[in-house]
């Protein structure tokens, strides 16, 4: 199933953030009916930001608590390695320090990318993929796979909390949630299997926050969660978290 989800995500959302933004802008101008939302639909708040933030945290606190628990369990085992990275780095690799400024910027960017731009682009991608893959012959295998298999599984996995978003609207919107969130999840592969699974849940429930409270609330929740996680990691290990980025460029042959 993960491989199937990966293949479908690539089929529906084969482009990056820049091309997605251009696609969304072009569709909003030339074919506004393809994406059933205005550009600013999820940016509007129907209440002040603080009540929206506290309501969002109350709504999704189990997944936030699970993430903090994972950090509390994993950080002690990483203490020695993280301190070594902080002190000495890694030869032939880049060590990125995840400080507060980077965490704030990355959290906000991820929400704008995955919960807005890529989500909008994936709605168009799902519609196009369904048409190209035999939809023009009125067979619709892509739509069938989402509506009969993947969307019900996601609805069950999220305990019905996204039932309205996944089942009561256009199927392409639900497919776009899964495709965009699949990209979000795969961006956290460096966290290992448990972190990979948790990030899927985190992304799904951030979609719920966006639909219920707006994108600014989702950004605020994501930023606050990552800053609390950062503080917890520093309290346990004594250093800010580091991520190693391997240098995959080919090296010249040595004579």
């Amino acid at each position: 199933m993960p491989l199937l989800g990966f293949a479908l995500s690539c089929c529906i959302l084969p482009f990056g953030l820049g091309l997605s933004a251009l696609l969304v802008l072009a569709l909003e101008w030339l074919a506004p009916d393809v994406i059933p939302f205005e550009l600013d639909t999820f940016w509007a708040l129907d209440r002040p930001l603080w009540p929206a933030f506290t309501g969002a945290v109350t709504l999704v606190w189990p997944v936030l608590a699970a993430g903090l628990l994972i950090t509390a369990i994993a950080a002690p085992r990483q203490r020695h390695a993280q301190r070594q990275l902080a002190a000495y780095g890694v030869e032939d690799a880049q060590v990125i320090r995840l400080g507060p400024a980077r965490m704030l910027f990355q959290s906000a960017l991820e929400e704008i990318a995955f919960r807005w731009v890529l989500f909008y682009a994936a709605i168009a991608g799902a519609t196009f993929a369904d048409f190209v893959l035999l939809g023009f012959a009125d067979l619709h295998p892509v739509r069938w796979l989402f509506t009969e298999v993947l969307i019900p599984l996601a609805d069950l996995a999220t305990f019905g909390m996204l039932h309205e978003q996944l089942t009561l609207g256009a199927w392409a919107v639900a497919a776009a949630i899964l495709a965009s969130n699949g990209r979000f999840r795969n961006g956290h592969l460096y966290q290992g299997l448990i972190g990979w699974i948790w990030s899927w849940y985190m992304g799904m429930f951030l979609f719920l926050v966006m639909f219920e409270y707006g994108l600014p609330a989702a950004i605020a929740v994501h930023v606050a969660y990552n800053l609390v996680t950062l503080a917890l990691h520093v309290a346990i290990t004594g250093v800010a978290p580091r991520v190693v980025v391997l240098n995959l460029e080919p090296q010249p042959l040595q004579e």
Side-chain angles (χ1 to χ4, degrees):
M1 189 62 70
L3 290 177
L4 176 60
F6 177 77
L8 285 170
S9 292
C10 291
C11 175
I12 289 173
L13 199 56
F15 20 69
L17 182 59
L19 287 178
S20 294
L22 291 176
L23 173 64
V24 169
L25 290 173
L27 288 174
E28 286 293 322
W29 178 36
L30 300 172
D33 292 337
V34 173
I35 301 173
F37 306 111
E38 301 291 336
L39 282 177
D40 62 349
T41 295
F42 297 105
W43 284 97
L45 290 173
D46 59 1
R47 68 199 76 187
L49 182 57
W50 179 250
F53 170 75
T54 56
V57 170
T58 302
L59 179 65
V60 301
W61 73 264
V63 71
L64 302 178
L68 294 177
L69 180 61
I70 292 171
T71 299
I73 293 173
R77 293 180 294 174
Q78 300 172 356
R79 183 185 294 116
H80 177 72
Q82 286 287 312
R83 290 180 176 179
Q84 290 290 105
L85 286 175
Y88 305 109
V90 177
E91 187 177 357
D92 296 328
Q94 181 184 8
V95 177
I96 299 176
R97 177 182 179 274
L98 303 180
R102 180 182 288 273
M103 295 288 269
L104 190 154
F105 174 77
Q106 182 174 317
S107 304
L109 181 61
E110 284 184 342
E111 288 308 299
I112 293 171
F114 294 104
R115 243 65 64 188
W116 186 41
V117 178
L118 292 175
F119 167 56
Y120 275 31
I123 296 173
T127 304
F128 178 76
D130 179 61
F131 176 79
V132 171
L133 299 177
L134 299 180
F136 61 87
D138 203 27
L139 295 178
H140 303 286
V142 173
R143 185 171 65 189
W144 179 89
L145 186 57
F146 273 101
T147 57
E148 300 299 324
V149 181
L150 297 178
I151 292 172
L153 284 176
D155 189 27
L156 180 65
T158 52
F159 316 106
M161 291 185 67
L162 284 92
H163 182 77
E164 180 179 350
Q165 290 77 18
L166 292 174
T167 64
L168 301 184
W171 77 271
V173 173
I177 291 174
L178 298 184
S180 180
N181 194 55
R183 291 274 290 268
F184 175 76
R185 174 204 61 199
N186 290 340
H188 294 78
L189 276 171
Y190 67 92
Q191 295 179 349
L193 178 61
I194 294 178
W196 182 76
I197 294 171
W198 170 84
S199 65
W200 183 85
Y201 276 97
M202 180 70 169
M204 291 297 288
F205 283 101
L206 284 170
F207 265 113
L208 178 60
V209 168
M210 183 187 76
F211 276 98
E212 293 292 333
Y213 293 97
L215 186 58
I219 293 173
V221 170
H222 198 161
V223 168
Y225 169 79
N226 277 350
L227 291 179
V228 172
T229 303
L230 173 64
L232 181 60
H233 185 280
V234 171
I236 294 173
T237 65
V239 295
R242 262 81 173 170
V243 176
V244 177
V245 180
L246 297 177
N247 182 10
L248 299 180
E249 295 181 0
Q251 301 296 322
L253 295 175
Q254 300 293 328
E255 296 183 359

